[in-house]
Amino acid sequence: MMVESASETIRSAPSGQNGVGSISGQADGSGGGAGAAGSGGTGRDSAAGADSNGEMSPAELLHFQQQQALQVARQFLLQQASGLSSPGNNDSKQSASAVQVPVSVAMMSPQMLTPQQMQQILSPPQLQALLQQQQALMLQQLQEYYKKQQEQLHLQLLTQQQQAGKQQPKEALGNKQLAFQQQLLQMQQLQQQHLLNLQRQGLVSLQPSQASGPLQTLPQAVCPTDLPQLWKGEGAPGQPAEDSVKQEGLDLTGSATTATSFAAPPKVSPPLSHHTLPNGQPTVLTPRRDSSSHEETPGSHPLYGHGECKWPGCETLCEDLGQFIKHLNTEHALDDRSTAQCRVQMQVVQQLEIQLAKESERLQAMMAHLHMRPSEPKPFSQPVTISAADSFPDGLVHPPTSAAAPVTPLRPPGLSSASLHSGGPARRRSSDKFCSPISSELAQNHEFYKNADVRPPFTYASLIRQAILETPDRQLTLNEIYNWFTRMFAYFRRNTATWKNAVRHNLSLHKCFVRVENVKGAVWTVDEREYQKRRPPKMTGSPTLVKNMISGLSYGALNASYQAALAESSFPLLSSPGVLNPGSAGSLLPLSHDEVGAPVEPLPSNGSSSPPRLSPPQYSHQVQVKEEPAEAEEDRRPGPPLGPPNPSTAGPPEDRDLEEELPGEELS
DNA sequence: CGTAGAGTAAACAGAT
DNA sequence: GATCTGTTTACTCTAC
C-alpha cells in the first residue's frame, strides 16, 4: 500500500551555474560599423602606400612577415625531417626536396638588413612592391613544396597500403595509415596556417584587390600564433624581432591563451566597446566569468592581464588597471588603426570558426568511419566524449556540430536560446515535437540539467518516457517518475505541485503511457508505438516541419535517434538522404546506452499505421486502459522482468487490438 | 485567423 | 481525514 511518501525535495537548486554570460560581445557592431565607414578600411589599407603617418613601418612588417615565414618553413622542415622518419619510411628524396624551401625562403629573407635599414633604403611603395613580390614568390614556392610533400605522402600511403594489403596484418596497416594521415594532416595544417598568414598580411598591408586576388582562393585557416606578429607589425613598431621569433612556430601551447580568447567570442568583450569607458573603475568593467583565462581578478579587464595591455600586438606594461585604462583610451582609441585591428580580429575569429567547422566536420567523418562501420553496428557505447566543438557551446558556425555537447555546458547545445528562459511557462518544448532523442541529449547534458536550474527543453511526455525507458524493466511507479525528475533536473526540485500535476496529467492524457497494475501497485509503461505515432502526422504533412526538425534540433540528437531508427528503416519519412546529412551523420554522438535499446525500436508496424490521422480524435481510451491491467500484466510483465522488456516487443498483438479498438484519442 | 500541441491549474474520485 | 494517485476539463500560449 502506502506508496512511500514522495519525499519532495523542495530544496532550491544549486543554481549557481546558470550564469549565461552576457552574449553581448558583438565587436561586429562597432567594429563592423566603423569598418563599414569605408574610410577606415581603405584608408588603412592604403596606409602602406600613401598614408605615411609613421605609425607603422612597412619595412618592419615586411621583416616580421619574412622572419615568420622563414621560421615556419624551418619548423616545417624540422618536423618533416623528424616526422617522416617516424613512420619508418624515411627516404632521401624528401630531405632533398625539403631543402628547397628554406633556401628559397632564406633567399627572400632580408636577414642582413634591419627593418630600419630597409626602410631607409626603400620608399614605402617600393617596400610594398617588394613585399608583394616576395609574398607571391614565397607563396608559390611553398605551394609547390607542399604539393610535392603531399604527393609523396600520398604515394607512400598508397604503397604502404598495397604492401600491407599483401602481407601485413590489418592493425599494422592501420597504424601506418594513421601515421601518414597524421603527417598529411599536419602538413595541411601548416600549409593552411602559412597561407592564411600570408593572406592576413595581405589583408592588412595590401590593397584588397591586390592581395585577395590570388590568396582568397587558397584554403584558409588560422594560426593564432601568427597574430602577434601581425599585430606587432602594425601596432608596435619598436618590438624587437626576436619576439616574433619566439612566438612563432606551431607551438600551440604557447598560443593557447590567445587561441581560446580568440575562439570564444561570447566571452571576449569587444575591444572597441571599452573605449567608452570613462575611467578605470573596476566596478564598471565587464563582469565576465571567464574562468579559462588568466585575468580572473575581480577588477580585471579583458584586455589587461599580467600587468600588460593585451591589445593585440601591444603588450605595453601598465602598473595597474587605472593606468591601463588610461593607456587604452589613449593608445587604442577609436581611430583607423584600432578599427582596422578590430576588423582583423573579427576576421581572425571568423577564420577560427571556419576552421573549427572544418575540423569538426573532419572529426565527425572520422568518427563516422571509426564507429559506424557497417560490419559492426556499434551501439554507441562510448562515454560522453568531448568533441572538438565542445569548447564552443554556442554561437559558432559549425552547423552540423551544434549538437556537440560539453560535458557540463553552460548551455546545452540542444537548447535553443529560447528554451533557456527558464522563467515563466515554457511552452513548446522542442524535443517531443521532433521526436528528439532526449536520451542522447540527456546523456550529454546530464550534469548540466542536474545542476542548473534550467528547464529542460523536453515535453513532459518525452521526459516521462525517458524516465521509464531508462529503467531495466521499463516501468515505473508514479513516485519513481517523480524521483527521476527531481534526480535528473534541478529545475524539478521546485514547483513540485505544478510539474507533478503535469506529469500525472500527461500520463493520463497520452495514450502512449500505459498504466499497468502491479503487485506492488500500479506502474507506468510506455507504448512506444503510440509514442511514435504521435509525430508522423506533422512531419508528413509539412515538409517544412522536417526541415525545421533538422535545423532546429540538436543535430547530434537527431542523428542519434534517427540513425538507429533508419537502421531499421522504420521511418520512411526520414530515410530520405536529405534528412540525414551523410557527411556529418554518425557524428559525435555518444548515444546513451539507453537510447540504443529503448526508443530505437520504432516498430515496423509504425509504417502500416502510418497514415497520420489529422482528424480530431474521438475520446475513448481511458476505458481501454483501465481494462488493460489484467491482460497487460500477463503480456507485459512475463515472469522474468528482464525478458523482453520493451513494451513494443510484447506489444504488437496487444497494440494491434488497441489500435483497432481505438481509432483515435488524444483530446487535448 | 484557425488549429493543434503543450503547459498549467483545478476539480473530482478512488485508493491507501 | 489526509494524502496519493489518476482522470478530466478548462484555459492559455505558441507555432504553424
Side-chain angles (χ1 to χ4, degrees):
Chain A
M1 335 285 226
M2 294 308 289
V3 186
E4 65 268 38
S5 68
S7 74
E8 332 225 325
T9 59
I10 318 188
R11 289 180 294 263
S12 65
S15 60
Q17 310 198 1
N18 202 4
V20 179
S22 65
I23 316 182
S24 63
Q26 291 300 342
D28 316 31
S30 52
S39 63
T42 53
R44 180 82 209 96
D45 290 341
S46 64
D51 173 16
S52 57
N53 57 6
E55 281 267 324
M56 169 187 123
S57 155
E60 235 175 307
L61 177 58
L62 175 63
H63 177 74
F64 286 130
Q65 287 170 339
Q66 288 168 346
Q67 282 254 339
Q68 185 181 350
L70 179 59
Q71 191 69 16
V72 169
R74 279 179 183 150
Q75 282 218 344
F76 176 68
L77 258 188
L78 279 176
Q79 283 192 348
Q80 293 299 308
S82 59
L84 280 180
S85 59
S86 61
N89 200 345
N90 193 9
D91 64 350
S92 53
K93 260 168 49 179
Q94 304 224 340
S95 52
S97 63
V99 181
Q100 295 172 0
V101 167
V103 168
S104 56
V105 174
M107 183 182 68
M108 297 182 290
S109 181
Q111 284 178 320
M112 293 302 141
L113 295 177
T114 67
Q116 287 76 17
Q117 285 172 325
M118 285 189 66
Q119 197 176 12
Q120 286 170 357
I121 294 170
L122 300 174
S123 67
Q126 284 174 318
L127 284 168
Q128 179 66 29
L130 178 64
L131 173 63
Q132 289 173 25
Q133 199 178 351
Q134 289 181 338
Q135 279 180 342
L137 252 175
M138 199 159 50
L139 183 64
Q140 197 178 349
Q141 294 195 2
L142 277 172
Q143 276 185 308
E144 281 176 18
Y145 174 72
Y146 285 132
K147 205 175 168 185
K148 275 185 193 170
Q149 291 293 306
Q150 274 186 334
E151 282 171 3
Q152 286 185 357
L153 281 171
H154 276 300
L155 258 175
Q156 288 179 359
L157 186 57
L158 278 178
T159 53
Q160 281 293 331
Q161 278 178 335
Q162 287 172 351
Q163 288 175 1
K166 290 174 192 165
Q167 48 196 359
Q168 287 184 337
K170 224 177 177 180
E171 295 172 357
L173 172 64
N175 286 340
K176 293 211 168 186
Q177 277 184 332
L178 199 64
F180 276 114
Q181 282 168 359
Q182 282 176 346
Q183 276 306 118
L184 268 174
L185 198 75
Q186 206 176 11
M187 204 174 68
Q188 281 175 357
Q189 281 180 347
L190 190 67
Q191 181 182 12
Q192 288 186 342
Q193 287 166 2
H194 198 173
L195 292 177
L196 182 84
N197 181 30
L198 293 178
Q199 183 197 23
R200 195 179 294 116
Q201 288 167 352
L203 180 140
V204 171
S205 61
L206 301 182
Q207 297 285 352
S209 57
Q210 294 170 318
S212 60
L215 289 171
Q216 276 185 346
T217 61
L218 298 170
Q220 298 182 353
V222 158
C223 173
T225 51
D226 56 17
L227 290 169
Q229 276 64 53
L230 171 64
W231 297 119
K232 279 194 181 68
E234 264 199 16
Q239 289 287 335
E242 311 111 55
D243 277 4
S244 63
V245 176
K246 266 189 237 159
Q247 300 186 31
E248 278 166 356
L250 296 176
D251 180 12
L252 291 178
T253 59
S255 65
T257 55
T258 324
T260 49
S261 62
F262 282 159
K267 292 179 183 174
V268 179
S269 307
L272 286 181
S273 67
H274 299 290
H275 293 305
T276 57
L277 286 179
N279 235 344
Q281 301 275 346
T283 52
V284 181
L285 298 176
T286 54
R288 53 198 297 255
R289 41 167 308 282
D290 185 355
S291 58
S292 68
S293 74
H294 19 278
E295 56 252 350
E296 288 165 326
T297 51
S300 70
H301 189 286
L303 289 173
Y304 180 62
H306 294 308
E308 64 184 22
C309 174
K310 309 198 83 156
W311 187 274
C314 179
E315 296 181 13
T316 301
L317 293 175
C318 301
E319 286 177 9
D320 56 15
L321 202 61
Q323 191 181 345
F324 162 73
I325 295 294
K326 203 173 170 183
H327 158 80
L328 195 62
N329 286 329
T330 56
E331 295 299 314
H332 307 298
L334 180 57
D335 57 7
D336 284 356
R337 189 173 58 132
S338 298
T339 306
Q341 288 175 327
C342 206
R343 286 206 340 267
V344 173
Q345 180 70 11
M346 285 163 57
Q347 295 253 348
V348 168
V349 172
Q350 279 179 358
Q351 295 294 342
L352 278 169
E353 290 172 350
I354 292 171
Q355 179 74 3
L356 173 67
K358 284 182 185 169
E359 295 303 323
S360 297
E361 214 170 341
R362 193 199 311 255
L363 174 65
Q364 285 178 14
M366 289 166 70
M367 291 184 69
H369 170 68
L370 293 177
H371 295 287
M372 314 282 186
R373 35 184 68 207
S375 59
E376 186 189 348
K378 218 173 180 178
F380 305 93
S381 58
Q382 23 175 309
V384 175
T385 56
I386 302 175
S387 77
D390 280 356
S391 328
F392 314 97
D394 48 7
L396 294 188
V397 272
H398 43 107
T401 60
S402 62
V407 174
T408 311
L410 284 173
R411 181 212 288 187
L415 273 173
S416 66
S417 57
S419 54
L420 253 191
H421 302 25
S422 57
R427 323 242 167 197
R428 276 283 168 214
R429 306 270 89 86
S430 64
S431 73
D432 192 47
K433 183 173 162 188
F434 300 137
C435 184
S436 157
I438 173 177
S439 62
S440 65
E441 155 103 25
L442 271 186
Q444 293 175 24
N445 304 310
H446 175 79
E447 286 301 317
F448 174 80
Y449 293 121
K450 208 168 167 179
N451 298 316
D453 190 12
V454 170
R455 182 179 186 120
F458 308 109
T459 60
Y460 280 111
S462 57
L463 285 173
I464 294 168
R465 169 177 168 270
Q466 178 62 22
I468 293 172
L469 293 180
E470 271 191 10
T471 63
D473 46 358
R474 307 282 160 81
Q475 55 181 24
L476 281 180
T477 65
L478 179 65
N479 196 38
E480 287 167 339
I481 294 175
Y482 289 162
N483 290 336
W484 185 87
F485 270 68
T486 50
R487 193 174 66 245
M488 299 294 286
F489 304 96
Y491 178 84
F492 291 122
R493 290 197 266 270
R494 55 190 180 87
N495 297 331
T496 55
T498 300
W499 65 261
K500 282 182 177 177
N501 185 22
V503 166
R504 290 195 306 272
H505 169 74
N506 274 268
L507 282 171
S508 292
L509 188 67
H510 296 304
K511 195 176 157 189
C512 58
F513 299 120
V514 181
R515 184 175 174 274
V516 178
E517 286 293 339
N518 202 349
V519 192
K520 58 177 180 181
V523 292
W524 289 93
T525 62
V526 178
D527 184 340
E528 198 59 34
R529 212 164 126 252
E530 286 297 327
Y531 186 83
Q532 305 288 355
K533 236 167 45 176
R534 302 185 314 148
R535 281 164 302 274
K538 295 178 111 184
M539 296 196 291
T540 27
S542 142
T544 61
L545 268 174
V546 179
K547 213 199 289 179
N548 287 340
M549 180 183 72
I550 296 160
S551 59
L553 235 192
S554 84
Y555 191 89
L558 171 79
N559 178 41
S561 161
Y562 285 123
Q563 204 164 31
L566 287 178
E568 310 204 359
S569 62
S570 40
F571 277 131
L573 284 173
L574 296 171
S575 306
S576 66
V579 174
L580 280 183
N581 180 352
S584 17
S587 55
L588 31 157
L589 246 288
L591 247 207
S592 75
H593 30 295
D594 29 283
E595 175 75 29
V596 192
V600 167
E601 56 334 79
L603 316 179
S605 54
N606 189 21
S608 67
S609 68
S610 63
R613 292 183 304 266
L614 283 170
S615 60
Q618 272 64 39
Y619 193 77
S620 63
H621 85 285
Q622 203 48 52
V623 183
Q624 213 289 334
V625 171
K626 295 216 170 182
E627 293 172 355
E628 204 161 41
E631 53 189 63
E633 199 156 351
E634 303 158 4
D635 282 338
R636 292 179 196 270
R637 306 184 55 255
L642 283 181
N646 63 26
S648 58
T649 47
E654 180 188 0
D655 285 335
R656 207 156 289 138
D657 298 342
L658 234 157
E659 181 84 0
E660 291 164 4
E661 293 175 14
L662 306 174
E665 83 302 344
E666 195 114 5
L667 187 144
S668 178

